[in-house]
């Protein structure tokens, strides 16, 4: 089945997607499509080229198709605000292209200034998807050619550019005409103060999707995940450290208690390790960190508290002995390696019980790792 089906996209769209050569969803599509289908508000920080247009056009079309919103004539259910004529035409093309597989297709119109308004006024009859620059939209509203009181989905595309072009006042006027209950999708290439302001005004508990440089940094890091039975975790950790000849490795645990335990066990088996966590004194923590940085300590075992503060140039190895609670912590942990353009390796130990949670983390990361079996690794005498 199509990877778009896995995101909840209906079969009616699949042949069109194949025809457009969209074989895989882009990262923003992977993140946005399920959330939009679910009816959530979205803040998408992404540039042109990310596939952002289809990331909202597809699920909005599907919602339109399924919802059968009962509307009065000239009341538009889907409104897309854009900064320029070029973008308006482009978005219109994408809507029409992707709607082709639907049994009933919406009437899609793009309107913008600089051309005669009369044909646009006539075109508002039965319009279902209206793509508009703010100024021309207000002209059409003022002449009662179209009404916004029943808008179900509002999209602000390239919101930063709309603000840069001085459309703030027009946007505010448009927003005031919308019904309270609606879905809001806001896309912007940047996050300026002005964008933040409009975001606060428009979005309700949005799903934030940020396609920044962070994933690229993460891509420098080679990640592997090992499926390990709980009772084999300690020996497997020693096996990893020894077989890969790690001289400096940061090991993460989920609690202070298990950090101490892991460090003790390693030391008892001849691998020099010390733990740092919130229950140690500041003095002790700094001392341990300094020894580790100086290369005098082979293994530093730490909790998430420390993952943000440890600044070590190009740490070659990070091991997640236990999973972090949140995907954010996972990014912070593995971000301790592979910095400054140097590659690093991050290994994660996953017990059978951890697997559902690890799936959640990967989903948030938009990165999928193959779980490598370790059943055949001989751990005797490690
Ligand atoms: P956008 O960022 O929306 O301006 O899209 C950039 C380009 O990527 C457009 O030419 C789209 O047709 C194309 N595109 C969008 N989604 C996909 C996909 N899933 N696979 C391949 N191309 C895509």
């Amino acid at each position: 089945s199509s990877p778009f089906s896995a995101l909840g996209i209906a079969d009616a769209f699949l042949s069109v997607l194949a025809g457009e050569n969209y074989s895989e969803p882009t990262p923003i599509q992977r993140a946005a499509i399920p959330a939009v289908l679910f009816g959530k508000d979205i803040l998408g920080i992404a540039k042109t080229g990310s596939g952002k247009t289809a990331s909202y056009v597809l699920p909005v079309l599907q919602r339109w198709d399924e919802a059968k919103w009962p509307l009065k004539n000239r009341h538009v259910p889907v409104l897309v605000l854009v900064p320029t004529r070029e973008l308006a035409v482009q978005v219109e093309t994408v809507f029409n292209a992707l709607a082709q597989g639907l049994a009933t297709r919406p009437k899609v119109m793009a309107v913008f200034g600089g051309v005669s308004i009369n044909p646009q006024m006539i075109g508002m009859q039965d319009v279902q998807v209206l793509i508009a620059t703010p100024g021309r939209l207000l002209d059409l509203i003022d002449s009662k050619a179209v009404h916004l009181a029943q808008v179900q989905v509002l999209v602000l595309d390239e919101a930063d550019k709309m603000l840069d072009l001085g459309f703030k006042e027009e946007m505010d006027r448009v927003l005031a005409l919308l019904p309270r209950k609606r879905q809001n999708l806001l896309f912007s290439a940047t996050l300026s103060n002005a964008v933040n302001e409009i975001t606060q005004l428009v979005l309700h508990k949005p799903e934030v999707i940020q396609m920044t440089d962070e994933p690229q940094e993460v891509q420098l890091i080679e990640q592997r995940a090992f499926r390990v039975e709980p009772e084999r975790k300690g020996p497997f950790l020693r096996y990893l450290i020894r077989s890969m000849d790690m001289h400096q490795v940061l090991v993460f645990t989920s609690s202070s208690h298990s950090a101490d335990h892991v460090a003790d066990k390693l030391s008892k088996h001849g691998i020099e390790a010390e733990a740092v966590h919130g229950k140690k004194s500041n003095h002790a923590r700094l001392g341990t960190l300094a020894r580790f940085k100086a290369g005098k300590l082979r293994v530093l075992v730490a909790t998430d508290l420390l993952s943000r503060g440890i600044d070590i140039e190009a740490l070659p190895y990070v091991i997640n002995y236990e999973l972090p609670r949140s995907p954010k912590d996972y990014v912070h942990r593995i971000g301790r390696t592979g910095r400054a353009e140097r590659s690093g390796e991050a290994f994660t130990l996953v017990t059978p019980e951890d697997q559902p949670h690890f799936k959640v983390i990967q989903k948030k990361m938009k990165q999928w790792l193959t779980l490598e079996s370790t059943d055949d690794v001989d751990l005797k005498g490690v």
Side-chain angles (χ1 to χ4, degrees), residues 82-84 158-168 170:
V82 295
T84 63
E158 298 191 1
D160 48 350
K161 196 160 175 190
M162 265 192 285
L163 294 166
D164 287 346
L165 291 175
F167 282 131
K168 177 80 170 79
E170 283 89 342

Side-chain angles (χ1 to χ4, degrees), residues 96-381:
N96 281 323
L98 296 181
Q100 278 178 79
L102 295 177
T104 314
R105 291 179 215 164
K107 177 169 171 184
V108 181
M109 280 283 290
V111 297
F112 35 79
V115 296
S116 163
I117 197 171
N118 288 343
Q120 293 179 351
M121 287 173 69
I122 297 161
M124 290 302 104
Q125 184 85 15
D126 294 322
V127 68
Q128 297 292 304
V129 177
L130 180 59
I131 303 140
T133 53
R136 181 50 61 97
L137 177 63
L138 288 170
D139 294 341
L140 288 163
I141 290 166
D142 289 344
S143 53
K144 303 223 177 327
V146 69
H147 306 280
L148 304 187
Q150 298 188 43
V151 167
Q152 308 291 315
V153 182
L154 170 73
V155 183
L156 301 180
D157 198 350
E158 298 191 1
D160 48 350
K161 196 160 175 190
M162 265 192 285
L163 294 166
D164 287 346
L165 291 175
F167 282 131
K168 177 80 170 79
E169 222 169 279
E170 283 89 342
M171 286 161 81
D172 286 343
R173 263 194 72 200
V174 169
L175 292 174
L177 297 169
L178 298 171
R180 258 172 173 279
K181 199 171 163 294
R182 55 173 206 261
Q183 185 177 19
N184 303 288
L185 316 175
L186 190 150
F187 293 86
S188 179
T190 55
L191 254 190
S192 60
N193 285 342
V195 173
N196 272 331
E197 206 176 293
I198 198 115
T199 295
Q200 304 265 325
L201 195 69
V202 171
L203 299 177
H204 177 69
K205 295 188 183 156
E207 176 107 2
V208 180
I209 302 169
Q210 193 150 9
M211 297 291 138
T212 57
D213 301 334
E214 198 166 23
Q216 285 165 18
E217 246 177 62
V218 168
Q219 275 160 23
L220 276 174
I221 303 163
E222 196 200 323
Q223 297 174 61
R224 291 172 70 181
F226 299 100
R227 191 175 174 285
V228 191
E229 293 300 326
E231 65 277 9
R232 279 166 59 93
K233 278 174 84 170
F236 185 72
L237 176 65
R238 300 197 291 275
Y239 165 82
L240 271 182
I241 292 170
R242 290 212 164 103
S243 68
M244 306 197 78
D245 200 18
M246 298 177 182
H247 292 293
Q248 195 186 35
V249 52
L250 179 57
V251 174
F252 282 105
T253 61
S254 55
S255 68
S256 308
H257 176 74
S258 83
D260 284 335
H261 180 73
V262 169
D264 277 354
K265 273 271 175 150
L266 287 172
S267 301
K268 285 204 177 101
H269 284 85
I271 298 173
E272 202 201 351
E274 280 181 39
V276 285
H277 50 69
K279 296 220 172 87
K280 298 239 164 162
S281 74
N282 214 20
H283 180 74
R285 288 204 306 236
L286 290 175
T288 304
L289 265 176
R291 275 195 297 286
F292 185 60
K293 282 191 191 186
K296 290 175 186 155
L297 176 67
R298 191 171 181 189
V299 184
L300 182 67
V301 188
T303 56
D304 286 298
L305 176 84
L306 263 286
S307 68
R308 287 148 208 258
I310 301 172
D311 182 21
I312 297 165
E313 217 181 306
L315 190 60
Y317 297 105
V318 166
I319 298 176
N320 294 311
Y321 184 79
E322 286 159 335
L323 291 186
R325 283 236 305 279
S326 76
K328 260 204 192 119
D329 285 331
Y330 181 83
V331 173
H332 279 291
R333 284 181 178 190
I334 71 169
R336 297 312 98 203
T337 182
R339 318 183 93 191
E341 315 269 298
R342 295 223 230 149
S343 65
E345 291 183 78
F347 303 119
T348 302
L349 274 49
V350 183
T351 65
E353 203 182 304
D354 290 333
Q355 281 188 38
H357 184 49
F358 192 53
K359 278 204 178 118
V360 172
I361 291 175
Q362 295 186 80
K363 205 165 155 189
K364 276 272 152 74
M365 294 275 300
K366 295 168 223 97
Q367 270 189 357
W368 297 91
L369 303 179
T370 318
L371 257 192
E372 300 176 37
S373 167
T374 60
D375 294 346
D376 295 338
V377 179
D378 183 3
L379 298 178
K380 270 194 224 97

Side-chain angles (χ1 to χ4, degrees), residues 4 21-26 29 47-54 90:
F4 284 94
N21 282 323
Y22 290 12
S23 51
E24 285 282 332
T26 66
Q29 289 165 4
K47 296 192 179 72
T48 308
S50 58
K52 66 171 171 67
T53 316
Q90 209 175 304

